[in-house]
Amino acid sequence: MLTPSINLPVALAAFSIGSILALNYPIGQFIAPICFLLCALLAFYRLSLFPIIIPVIMPIIGFAPWTGWLSFEELDLLILATAAGGYAKSVVEGKQPSPKRTSLLFLVLASSMSASILISMFRGFADAGGFVFGWFQGYDGPMNSIRIGKSFFLALLLIPLMARLQDNPENNISQKLALGIAIGLGTASLAALWERLAFTDLLNFSSDYRSTALFWEMHVGGAALDGWLLLTFPFSIWALRNSRGNAQFAISLCLVGLALYASLTTFSRGVYLALIVSLPLLAWQTRGHLKDAEKQQKIPTWGFFRWIVALILLGTMAGLVFPAGGYRGLLALLGLVAVAISIPSVLRGMPFALFLTGGMAGLLSGVLLIAIANFLPKGPYALYALILAASFSSIYWQKIRKARTGEFVCTASFFALLLAAGNVADYWGGIEAFKGMSGALAMLLVISLWGMFSRQALWPNELRWQGSLVTAAIAACGVVAVFVGGDYMGERFSTSGKDFEGRKSHWTQTIAMLQTPWDMAFGKGLGRFPANYFFAIPTGAFPGTYQINEESGNAWLSLVGPKHPISFGDILRISQRLPLSSQGPFELNFKIRAKTDVGIHAEVCEKQLLYPGGCAIGNVEIKGTAGAWRPVHIPLVGPLLNGGPWYAPRLKMFSLAVGTQSGTADIDDVQMTTFGGQNLLTNGNFAHEMERWFFSSDRDHMPWHAKNLLVNLMFDQGVTGFVVFLLLTVAALWKVNFGSARQHELAPYLSAAFIGFLMVGVFDSLMDVPRLALMYYLLVLYAFSIGQRGKVVHLGVPSNDVPAGQYKR
């Protein structure tokens, strides 16, 4: 905790820097300064809300495609406002910091990492030819070193404030942070869900559309969404296990389901592998915690082994149904699973003769109803839905009334539902689908009968447990659908060996760029990978570049095309967001000069980041202009862009690019008009540099990333930064697994988050995404501040009954 004498200058510095950033925010003259001031005031009066607020909005707060800001972003404003208000409150209160011990190891590692980042930042300035400040520099400018380096210091700025909140147990800082991270997982997952609804079918697993959510940093590829999901996913399990009441539990189940869907639609082999490792590890680490929770809440649970067996069985059944039965067959199977795990509790102990009679009645009535339903439009689906509703109703009433007639009705409806599910599969996919569904129904029937007639219950008769199993069944069905129903994922796994060899070659080339002893010791400099890769790797890998030039008060955009053969996805695009109401037709006017003949590509696409939907496109070949500016008019040809459904609107983006291999062109005075002659572009003369402009490389990603977290650290910060990062991470993992924080309620979730994040980092850089780096460093540094005691909390409602020291892991 900082001393009172330090609190004042820190508050003033945070407020001053944040105010400068807010006043220069590209969109809206007063919106950013007003929001900054309001956030600072909120932090002053309610600092304890920010452990929730910051992670909640972190995955959705980046607006670079609208603003053109790359070096700074809205999250910086939020953190600086929090620091300004929080440290100012410490000054006003005049409180001495608590006598809480500060780990010497923490001080050494935090200081070492700070020094390493500062050294590498200045090396980055030197590598870029000297420091030049700019609001809109790209990845090849010196400001990129600040963009990458500021994340650790922003995290470090928050740690004393979190320590101050921890001084008062009533703040429940650990629980609020966990809740905020869980909701932040939800906001990212909802953004991914919107993207899928807007730009591809919800259940389309065959196209190569990979979710990016609102992580604009993926405009040149990378794994920003992947890293966020693995860093936050364990906290959805925390929310699930600590929810109070069925409503909170249902919301937590939905959160887990959303996160699983977002993870599946990344189509990332690294994400799948990391989940397979981190989630079972989390289950193993929390097994003792669950036993204590059972004693308090009397919630029966299964052991780790039984859950694994259940997932295997569910996956097997889904694998039998989906290839020919499709999603309709899976939905029918899921309904049956929900009934099958509920019905044994109401039928256990019933006479076998009554069960046999009810089963025969259900089979006969099911056959009769199917014969009638098959003559009606969509009859098999309607019949299945009707019998499913009747099954749940009979189970509910039997739990209340406990009558023999209720047992008979439950049995009959269950067997009728089995036939109706088989009929759904046959109606949709024919005899092959029926065969697959029959195998799954036989497995489910055997398990259900075992549960009905066993002496002891095989699984808990508890709504939360049943909801968890149904969620697991949905996840198993989703995994099967991705791998069986989508050719894209199969193709990705079939090329895993080749891709890994390519990654190893890329890593070798990256390390080879460290040519001097100083490079090896301290790296080339933060954020210098793209600029060095452009010139150190054979010219065929050059992805193109852009620059704002100025002469005699006139600014223009210089564009250079890739030096390899160009496809639609390979060109380097300079883009600007358009209003949602923009439909077309579109006409483009601009001035150009080029020394040699060059092709210009222009488009307006319904597009979130990398993958276009509908497009209006124009191309033109320009003859060399011998240094003179020439006006160009391009009509964009394509359908009217209606913007998609109201519940998932499609964003629109105008893009301009050089469409000739190694072509160069200067462009100025860009105007794009639609019906009525209204110009839709801002700063088309580039007088304000790249304000409101953005760039992307849709498919050419290797030149922008080292593609490995540790290799990237080695390149940026050398052996020094590499070693310090490893020590910092290992120390945090040691503390939450074997050290003084091992009994803290968040310890297993932090451990799983770190491990999942690092596993994704095996195949991507991650730390070159400031938002991800900030969150990772914040959690690692926070791990050093937690001790042995905590509280058992149900979604923010504390209970002092069981101290964390009683948890056994």
Side-chain angles (χ1 to χ4, degrees), residues 185 188-189 192-193 196 205 210-211 225-233 236 255-275 279 479 482-483 489:
L185 171 65
S189 300
L193 178 65
R196 299 287 298 183
F205 299 124
R210 301 177 64 183
S211 298
L225 175 60
D226 307 10
W228 180 264
L229 290 172
L230 267 296
L231 196 57
T232 57
F233 204 116
S236 68
L255 171 62
V256 173
L258 273 174
L260 285 171
Y261 178 80
S263 300
L264 285 173
T265 57
T266 63
F267 295 106
S268 168
R269 291 160 292 190
V271 167
Y272 299 166
L273 178 62
L275 285 174
L279 292 185
V479 171
V482 167
F483 284 91
M489 201 64 236

Side-chain angles (χ1 to χ4, degrees), residues 743-760:
Q743 294 176 327
H744 192 277
E745 64 165 314
L746 294 189
Y749 304 97
L750 289 170
S751 177
F754 298 153
I755 290 172
F757 184 83
L758 293 171
M759 290 201 66
V760 173

Side-chain angles (χ1 to χ4, degrees), residues 25 35 55 87 132 204 211 234 257 261 335 370 419 440 468 535 619 624 671-672 676 680 693 740 779 784:
Y25 190 69
C35 290
Y87 286 107
V132 177
N204 179 2
S211 298
Y261 178 80
I370 288 172
L419 292 181
S468 298
F535 299 104
N619 293 284
Q671 292 187 346
M672 192 182 63
L680 299 177
W693 292 94
S740 60
L779 293 181
F784 283 91

Side-chain angles (χ1 to χ4, degrees), residues 463-803:
L463 185 60
R464 291 193 176 196
W465 183 91
Q466 293 171 358
S468 298
L469 188 88
V470 171
T471 303
I474 294 172
C477 290
V479 171
V480 169
V482 167
F483 284 91
V484 176
D487 295 335
Y488 178 59
M489 201 64 236
E491 292 175 1
R492 283 181 60 77
F493 271 89
S494 68
T495 61
S496 294
K498 180 181 177 181
D499 292 344
F500 185 67
E501 290 300 320
R503 290 291 173 92
K504 288 197 298 183
S505 176
H506 187 69
W507 301 336
T508 301
Q509 291 173 337
T510 300
I511 298 301
M513 288 190 281
L514 303 176
Q515 298 177 342
T516 70
W518 288 102
D519 289 346
M520 291 298 299
F522 300 108
K524 278 285 188 180
L526 292 177
R528 297 306 300 163
F529 176 81
N532 280 269
Y533 189 90
F534 293 169
F535 299 104
I537 303 302
T539 55
F542 185 79
T545 188
Y546 69 93
Q547 187 177 5
I548 299 296
N549 293 310
E550 184 178 349
E551 184 179 56
S552 302
N554 180 58
W556 67 87
L557 171 70
S558 292
L559 270 178
V560 181
K563 292 188 178 181
H564 52 70
I566 300 175
S567 67
F568 181 83
D570 292 323
I571 57 180
L572 182 78
R573 289 169 165 82
I574 302 299
S575 307
Q576 188 171 138
R577 288 285 193 208
L578 299 181
L580 291 175
S581 59
S582 306
Q583 292 188 352
F586 303 101
E587 294 185 346
L588 180 65
N589 293 278
F590 60 93
K591 293 192 304 184
I592 189 172
R593 66 181 181 186
K595 295 181 180 180
T596 59
D597 297 354
V598 66
I600 297 298
H601 171 88
E603 65 187 30
V604 174
C605 289
E606 294 174 326
K607 186 178 184 181
Q608 149 56 9
L609 198 62
L610 298 178
Y611 305 97
C615 289
I617 298 174
N619 293 284
V620 65
E621 295 293 329
I622 305 295
K623 296 294 183 181
T625 62
W629 289 98
R630 172 185 169 183
V632 176
H633 173 80
I634 306 178
L636 304 186
V637 179
L640 292 179
L641 308 180
N642 58 22
W646 63 268
Y647 55 84
R650 291 185 170 188
L651 301 178
K652 297 183 177 70
M653 184 177 284
F654 163 73
S655 298
L656 194 63
V658 169
T660 302
Q661 183 177 347
S662 301
T664 62
D666 295 335
I667 295 173
D668 198 3
D669 295 335
V670 184
Q671 292 187 346
M672 192 182 63
T673 57
T674 184
F675 182 77
Q678 178 187 4
N679 181 26
L680 299 177
L681 300 180
T682 302
N683 190 30
N685 60 2
F686 303 100
H688 300 288
E689 301 181 70
M690 289 293 289
E691 180 177 312
R692 308 297 290 272
W693 292 94
F694 189 63
F695 84 95
S696 67
S697 181
D698 292 6
R699 295 183 185 273
D700 196 7
H701 298 159
M702 286 297 191
W704 306 96
H705 305 282
K707 291 295 181 180
N708 178 278
L709 189 154
L710 296 180
V711 171
N712 183 74
L713 284 166
M714 185 73 177
F715 181 89
D716 279 5
Q717 298 175 243
V719 174
T720 303
F722 177 90
V723 170
V724 173
F725 178 87
L726 284 181
L727 290 175
L728 189 67
T729 297
V730 170
L733 281 169
W734 178 271
K735 182 164 186 179
V736 297
N737 284 284
F738 307 105
S740 60
R742 67 186 182 279
Q743 294 176 327
H744 192 277
E745 64 165 314
L746 294 189
Y749 304 97
L750 289 170
S751 177
F754 298 153
I755 290 172
F757 184 83
L758 293 171
M759 290 201 66
V760 173
V762 171
F763 303 104
D764 229 295
S765 307
L766 298 184
M767 303 306 283
D768 57 0
V769 179
R771 277 188 281 181
L772 277 186
L774 171 59
M775 194 66 197
Y776 180 78
Y777 282 131
L778 182 62
L779 293 181
V780 165
L781 296 175
Y782 176 71
F784 283 91
S785 70
I786 59 178
Q788 295 185 6
R789 298 185 65 82
K791 296 181 181 180
V792 178
V793 174
H794 305 282
L795 289 184
V797 182
S799 170
N800 292 311
D801 296 337
V802 181

Side-chain angles (χ1 to χ4, degrees), residues 116-313:
S116 174
I117 289 175
L118 287 173
I119 292 172
S120 298
M121 189 181 295
F122 282 100
R123 286 183 60 79
F125 297 158
D127 189 69
F131 179 73
V132 177
F133 183 84
W135 292 107
F136 300 99
Q137 288 182 16
Y139 291 164
D140 56 351
M143 290 298 295
N144 200 38
S145 296
I146 292 179
R147 184 182 79 91
I148 301 298
K150 59 183 167 60
S151 297
F152 180 78
F153 296 107
L154 290 175
L156 205 57
L157 191 63
L158 293 176
I159 290 300
L161 296 178
M162 297 182 73
R164 175 192 160 199
L165 290 172
Q166 283 181 296
D167 288 344
N168 183 359
E170 294 181 359
N171 287 323
N172 298 319
I173 179 65
S174 294
Q175 293 76 37
K176 287 180 178 177
L177 179 63
L179 179 60
I181 296 172
I183 300 175
L185 171 65
T187 55
S189 300
L190 284 172
L193 178 65
W194 154 77
E195 185 182 13
R196 299 287 298 183
L197 288 170
F199 294 98
T200 185
D201 292 337
L202 189 67
L203 300 177
N204 179 2
F205 299 124
S206 295
S207 70
D208 64 347
Y209 194 107
R210 301 177 64 183
S211 298
T212 60
L214 293 179
F215 284 95
W216 65 263
E217 297 90 343
M218 297 179 73
H219 65 135
V220 287
L225 175 60
D226 307 10
W228 180 264
L229 290 172
L230 267 296
L231 196 57
T232 57
F233 204 116
F235 293 91
S236 68
I237 308 301
W238 174 89
L240 189 67
R241 290 172 174 168
N242 291 278
S243 57
R244 170 174 288 180
N246 290 334
Q248 288 184 356
F249 187 78
I251 293 172
S252 298
L253 276 180
C254 290
L255 171 62
V256 173
L258 273 174
L260 285 171
Y261 178 80
S263 300
L264 285 173
T265 57
T266 63
F267 295 106
S268 168
R269 291 160 292 190
V271 167
Y272 299 166
L273 178 62
L275 285 174
I276 289 171
V277 172
S278 64
L279 292 185
L281 178 63
L282 177 62
W284 178 260
Q285 289 179 307
T286 55
R287 64 195 187 281
H289 181 175
L290 286 176
K291 291 177 182 177
D292 288 324
E294 292 171 34
K295 293 175 182 177
Q296 295 176 74
Q297 303 177 35
K298 298 182 180 179
I299 298 176
T301 61
W302 263 8
F304 178 77
F305 176 74
R306 288 191 178 187
W307 274 107
I308 295 298
V309 172
L311 287 172
I312 292 174
L313 291 174

Side-chain angles (χ1 to χ4, degrees), residues 53-62 75 215 228 771 774-775:
I53 293 173
I54 290 174
V56 165
I57 66 175
M58 191 179 290
I60 57 175
I61 198 176
L75 181 61
F215 284 95
W228 180 264
R771 277 188 281 181
L774 171 59
M775 194 66 197

